[in-house]
Amino acid sequence: MANQFKLLALLGLLPATVVMGQTKWTENKSGDLVWVTNTGGQNLGYSGTSGVKILTVDGLAFKDLNKNGKLDKYEDWRLPVDVRAKDLASKMSVEQIAGLMLYSKHQPIPAAPAGPFAGTYGGKVFAESGAKPYDLSDQQKQFLEKDNVRHVLITSVQSPEVAAQWNNNAQAFVEGLGLGIPNNNSSDPRHGTVATAEFNAGAGGSISMWPGSLGFAATFDPKVVEDFGHIAALEYRALGIATALSPQVDIATDPRWWRVSGTFGEDPQLSADMARGYIDGFQTSVGDKEITGGWGYGSVNAMVKHWPGGGAGEGGRDAHYGYGKYAVYPGNNFKQHLIPFTEGAFKLNGKTGMAASVMPYYTISFNQDTKNKENVANNYNSYIINDLLRKKYHFDGVVCTDWLVTGDETAVDQFLSGKSWGVEGLTVAQRHYKILMAGVDQFGGNNEVAPVVAAYQMGVKEHGEAFMRARFEQSAVRLLRNLFRTGLFENPYLDPQVSKSIVGNPDFMNAGYQAQLKSIVMLKNKNNVLPLTKNKTVYVPKQFTPAGKNFLGMQTPEKLEYPVNIETVKKYFKVTENPDEADYALVFINSPNSGGGYNSDDAKNGGNGYVPVSLQYQKYTATDARATSIAGGDPLEKFTNRTYKDKSATAINVTDLAMVNDTYTKMKGKPVIVSVNMANPMVFSEFEKNTNAIVVDFGVQGQATLDILTGNSEPSALLPLQMPADMHTVEKQFEDVPHDMKCYVDDQGNTYDFGFGLNWKGVINDARTVKYKKVRVKP
């Protein structure tokens, strides 16, 4: 038998090097892909175009990824993950490790024809190229092969099948290169709702739709978010995604912050519990998908963000922009911002134990570096990363910078400008080196290997070759763990038809819809006007949205349209455009949006550019603002005082307020029901008295709101944030302290505080409100 094996091998009829003994594996082919079934071991997948062969050892099959004809430790799926990772790291060149440290820029599939995420196919834009939507772009081939990138950020995809096929093409491409290291594709959150989408029981969709993060928090039930994590992970893996750039667990201690909607609210303990549930859901494989320790083919690495908390930006401004680079701590409350990490993300209930990765925020945590006294962005701060995260809290997973932190700043108010806060004077290579020395492993949004290699040479010059090689291998091991644990080395390939059957299947869509229902908060129900009687006549005013710019600075046109799918409304009510004919009015509005706290026209006209972020619709003048800002300074500014005292702001969507109040007048005493899509806390005093009922959502399908309003489902959610009495209390609260505002009291005597919500019986008091009863922090 042994001689027969040798003869077959010499003739090239065996796909493997064979060791004597009975084989315990079989293989099947599907196009270019080969699927190997190991009896009592890990199943494998590889591409017939990559040059990979199968090694048979002890009767079991292994992939010969580096094509050297022998089984290396990193190829042996029987060995512990760290043994495999260390073996592979030791074999990698400096350039290969440097490439592993890169995280690609945003990649839509297929590539966009223009703009910041553009790409070409054979030198032509996709529409003119004749390429298929799942082909690799010229730029993708470049950074995968020449720059050794293996971490790719996926944005839009045409369909699950296209995503799966692109994944297969990308994995086959890199499998044929060097050591055969697979891609670890990732995604920002992609399970948000389309407000106008209709839910039909038994119908599927492009991907299951769930409430936003604040909506999850509003359920006050970590089990809901854990269930979401399990489902989302299955959908991610079916799309070829093995890392989630989430959850965002910053506590929203300043109500004006642009990213409040991505958080689990302002309470540290609720945020910690939600973080734990989310990550357990994403990372835990069960049943035959588990490989070991809870990890496996159903696992998605969670990248929890943003260490050490990004919710304390001065004046509510955001650090994506130079005008928001400083996080301040007037309440001396830095430590509470760590709780969602240290008590949540790093103390999981599931077997995986701890979040796989951490992303620091852009902010300079002003005057919080008690060791080196450096006011540099968290990504660069050795105290924040090495001393706190690594040493004090024992995090040995991947630390990845946020995107564009090593680039040059070009303007204080541009989203796609570089964000090298506090180290603007360093070269790009020096920034990479400082980040590495701070304890960070990976560079977000950087496709180019050259500055990482240059940083390595700086380290060799300062510390010697042995030190720097060990530092690189340390990061390589951390990064490789996440690929080994999720089974990517064994089988990164997908069946596109199976992906189609998983992503957005009816059961997942239904689970998401039920969670949406649980996330809607009823704030007001005067005279028990809710639930509404179906088939009555309703008036739904159209919503005006003025022209403006999106977060990328691109122009958006004005529009006048129904804010809800009116055809869906007609399944519940008769609809009229004449308020005199209506039994009820349903008014759908968005919470006030006054912009990010910077006005370029003010700067051009001799001001410093800084204006208030307002949580009310009407004009607000910041008479109570600080006369001198706590922090300030930027190379593009000639001043350090970023005060906006006595300046004014008006919400871009002030017409939403007019829509409510005008409707109240037109209805002549008949019920007015207001549904608020909330991104930030807001001042309700401007319109609350002109309503009979108010419900709040944090990102749901409009149909879910209608199901609540008509009694198909009872409201059960609670406010995950305080609603301020007015802008004076907003101005006086401390950016770093939760639960420190005077809250609004409505005309029914109810206080819109953290944990408040109504059901049909009245104010909700249950196990959730007892558990999360807040403890006020005295500033």
Side-chain angles (χ1 to χ4, degrees):
M1 182 65 73
N3 289 333
Q4 287 178 326
F5 281 146
K6 289 179 181 177
L7 177 61
L8 290 172
L10 288 171
L11 293 173
L13 299 178
L14 274 183
T17 299
V18 177
V19 173
M20 288 199 315
Q22 185 178 3
T23 59
K24 302 175 184 176
W25 59 271
T26 58
E27 69 176 32
N28 293 293
K29 294 184 179 180
S30 176
D32 290 333
L33 298 181
V34 183
W35 313 96
V36 176
T37 301
N38 268 309
T39 302
Q42 294 301 315
N43 296 331
L44 314 176
Y46 67 98
S47 172
T49 66
S50 69
V52 163
K53 304 295 183 184
I54 291 295
L55 301 169
T56 301
V57 178
D58 298 331
L60 297 167
F62 303 85
K63 290 161 69 172
D64 186 14
L65 290 166
N66 61 3
K67 309 172 187 65
N68 66 355
K70 66 177 184 178
L71 182 63
D72 294 281
K73 289 181 180 179
Y74 85 91
E75 298 165 335
D76 189 344
W77 43 259
R78 299 169 299 183
L79 295 176
V81 163
D82 271 19
V83 172
R84 300 179 71 187
K86 289 175 182 177
D87 177 64
L88 180 51
S90 71
K91 290 176 166 60
M92 296 174 72
S93 68
V94 168
E95 290 75 16
Q96 287 171 326
I97 295 177
L100 194 66
M101 290 176 168
L102 302 178
Y103 224 123
S104 85
K105 298 175 182 177
H106 298 64
Q107 300 295 310
I109 299 171
F117 311 132
T120 55
Y121 299 81
K124 298 179 180 179
V125 297
F126 174 72
E128 300 171 1
S129 67
K132 301 208 169 35
Y134 44 74
D135 288 342
L136 300 184
S137 70
D138 300 334
Q139 292 74 20
Q140 289 163 356
K141 291 176 182 176
Q142 167 74 25
F143 67 64
L144 291 173
E145 182 171 11
K146 303 300 182 185
D147 293 289
N148 299 299
V149 172
R150 291 297 180 272
H151 293 80
V152 182
L153 175 54
I154 306 298
T155 56
S156 60
V157 295
Q158 275 193 1
S159 68
E161 304 99 295
V162 167
Q165 189 60 59
W166 181 90
N167 169 79
N168 290 351
N169 289 342
Q171 297 292 6
F173 184 79
V174 297
E175 191 173 69
L177 302 174
L179 295 161
I181 300 171
N183 275 355
N184 182 354
N185 302 323
S186 71
S187 175
D188 281 309
R190 57 193 314 121
H191 283 83
T193 58
V194 178
T196 56
E198 185 174 359
F199 171 75
N200 292 302
S206 57
I207 197 166
S208 61
M209 291 190 283
W210 298 73
S213 294
L214 280 178
F216 281 126
T219 70
F220 277 60
D221 185 356
K223 181 66 165 56
V224 172
V225 78
E226 183 174 352
D227 291 344
F228 159 72
H230 284 302
I231 289 172
L234 293 173
E235 292 184 307
Y236 271 34
R237 292 304 298 263
L239 294 170
I241 294 166
T243 290
L245 301 185
S246 57
Q248 182 190 339
V249 304
D250 317 80
I251 53 173
T253 48
D254 192 290
R256 299 165 290 186
W257 187 33
W258 169 54
R259 302 195 70 177
V260 165
S261 63
T263 74
F264 293 125
E266 68 181 295
D267 187 76
Q269 191 56 56
L270 179 61
S271 297
D273 292 347
M274 289 290 171
R276 188 183 307 108
Y278 188 108
I279 298 167
D280 271 334
F282 265 92
Q283 291 190 169
T284 305
S285 287
V286 296
D288 60 2
K289 290 186 177 295
E290 182 179 3
I291 297 173
T292 185
W295 292 101
Y297 297 104
S299 298
V300 172
N301 300 294
M303 185 178 290
V304 61
K305 56 190 185 184
H306 305 88
W307 179 263
E314 184 163 19
R317 298 184 295 269
D318 181 69
H320 276 84
Y321 306 89
Y323 63 69
K325 63 169 64 173
Y326 295 102
V328 295
Y329 300 87
N332 195 29
N333 198 43
F334 176 80
K335 290 181 180 179
Q336 243 189 333
H337 288 257
L338 307 183
I339 289 174
F341 299 91
T342 60
E343 301 302 316
F346 302 163
K347 289 185 179 179
L348 304 181
N349 292 328
K351 291 191 217 175
T352 63
M354 183 178 286
S357 306
V358 168
M359 181 187 293
Y361 203 41
Y362 296 114
T363 45
I364 295 172
S365 296
F366 191 66
N367 287 348
Q368 298 307 303
D369 180 350
T370 59
K371 181 179 180 182
N372 305 309
K373 311 298 182 183
E374 271 198 305
N375 275 316
V376 296
N378 296 311
N379 298 280
Y380 292 91
N381 194 301
S382 181
Y383 171 75
I384 296 290
I385 307 300
N386 273 328
D387 291 277
L388 283 184
L389 182 61
R390 295 291 193 199
K391 295 176 184 176
K392 183 172 182 178
Y393 295 108
H394 309 293
F395 182 78
D396 192 37
V398 169
V399 178
C400 176
T401 75
D402 214 326
W403 266 232
L404 300 178
V405 302
T406 58
D408 290 327
E409 182 184 18
T410 55
V412 295
D413 61 346
Q414 294 298 311
F415 184 85
L416 291 177
S417 175
K419 309 170 200 309
S420 50
W421 310 143
V423 294
E424 294 91 344
L426 300 181
T427 66
V428 171
Q430 287 170 335
R431 292 171 195 159
H432 282 78
Y433 179 55
K434 186 172 179 63
I435 286 171
L436 285 170
M437 292 300 100
V440 175
D441 305 296
Q442 199 166 29
F443 303 94
N446 181 3
N447 295 0
E448 299 173 358
V449 76
V452 188
V453 174
Y456 179 86
Q457 297 303 330
M458 290 177 187
V460 170
K461 186 174 181 180
E462 183 174 354
H463 298 287
E465 184 86 39
F467 173 91
M468 207 57 199
R469 176 71 201 191
R471 174 66 190 87
F472 257 44
E473 287 192 25
Q474 180 185 45
S475 284
V477 168
R478 291 170 180 154
L479 290 158
L480 290 168
R481 278 185 195 135
N482 291 350
L483 282 77
F484 282 115
R485 293 190 297 203
T486 50
L488 292 173
F489 276 88
E490 276 57 71
N491 181 19
Y493 296 97
L494 301 168
D495 180 333
Q497 291 308 307
V498 173
S499 293
K500 180 181 179 181
S501 70
I502 291 173
V503 180
N505 73 55
D507 288 342
F508 293 174
M509 297 296 289
N510 182 59
Y513 190 74
Q514 297 306 313
Q516 291 179 49
L517 293 172
K518 292 179 181 178
S519 74
I520 297 172
V521 183
M522 183 165 69
L523 292 181
K524 183 176 179 180
N525 191 17
K526 187 176 182 178
N527 298 325
N528 295 318
V529 65
L530 300 180
L532 301 176
T533 303
K534 294 179 185 177
N535 299 316
K536 291 283 192 175
T537 302
V538 300
Y539 167 62
V540 182
K542 290 183 178 179
Q543 184 180 42
F544 174 74
T545 303
K549 295 181 180 180
N550 65 15
F551 71 98
L552 292 174
M554 301 168 67
Q555 295 290 333
T556 56
E558 71 173 42
K559 56 187 178 181
L560 178 67
E561 61 187 10
Y562 283 115
V564 65
N565 186 331
I566 203 67
E567 295 306 314
T568 303
V569 176
K570 289 177 181 178
K571 294 184 179 182
Y572 295 79
F573 303 104
K574 299 181 182 73
V575 176
T576 180
E577 294 187 4
N578 182 358
D580 290 336
E581 298 175 351
D583 298 299
Y584 318 117
L586 303 182
V587 187
F588 293 83
I589 63 175
N590 297 320
S591 55
N593 173 16
S594 70
Y598 188 87
N599 187 307
S600 57
D601 289 336
D602 178 78
K604 291 174 185 176
N605 293 326
N608 64 2
Y610 292 86
V611 295
V613 179
S614 178
L615 301 181
Q616 66 183 41
Y617 293 104
Q618 298 178 94
K619 182 178 179 180
Y620 161 67
T621 301
T623 55
D624 294 326
R626 297 182 185 107
T628 303
S629 63
I630 293 173
D634 188 280
L636 301 181
E637 295 177 338
K638 297 179 180 179
F639 53 84
T640 57
N641 186 5
R642 294 180 159 193
T643 183
Y644 51 87
K645 184 176 174 61
D646 297 326
K647 291 185 180 180
S648 301
T650 302
I652 298 164
N653 59 333
V654 65
T655 48
D656 279 14
L657 174 64
M659 184 166 59
V660 175
N661 292 335
D662 290 350
T663 300
Y664 176 77
T665 300
K666 291 175 181 177
M667 289 299 290
K668 301 173 183 176
K670 291 181 289 186
V672 175
I673 291 86
V674 174
S675 174
V676 184
N677 174 237
M678 184 175 285
N680 290 82
M682 58 189 286
V683 176
F684 278 89
S685 61
E686 294 178 293
F687 68 88
E688 177 269 321
K689 291 181 175 59
N690 290 346
T691 69
N692 298 84
I694 300 173
V695 295
V696 169
D697 73 81
F698 306 96
V700 298
Q701 294 164 257
Q703 185 176 352
T705 299
L706 293 170
D707 275 339
I708 291 287
L709 294 179
T710 57
N712 285 349
S713 184
E714 184 172 12
S716 61
L718 307 168
L719 283 177
L721 301 157
Q722 291 185 312
M723 298 298 121
D726 50 43
M727 281 303 298
H728 298 290
T729 191
V730 172
E731 210 66 69
K732 293 297 185 182
Q733 59 88 39
F734 286 168
E735 286 92 337
D736 59 324
V737 178
H739 309 310
D740 66 340
M741 290 193 295
K742 178 183 177 183
C743 296
Y744 181 71
V745 180
D746 71 9
D747 66 5
Q748 302 299 292
N750 289 319
T751 303
Y752 293 179
D753 205 343
F754 172 82
F756 170 75
L758 301 172
N759 57 22
W760 302 141
K761 295 178 181 177
V763 177
I764 298 172
N765 289 294
D766 58 19
R768 298 172 301 161
T769 58
V770 171
K771 180 176 181 180
Y772 294 106
K773 184 177 181 180
K774 72 177 186 304
V775 177
R776 289 188 180 275
V777 177
K778 296 295 183 183

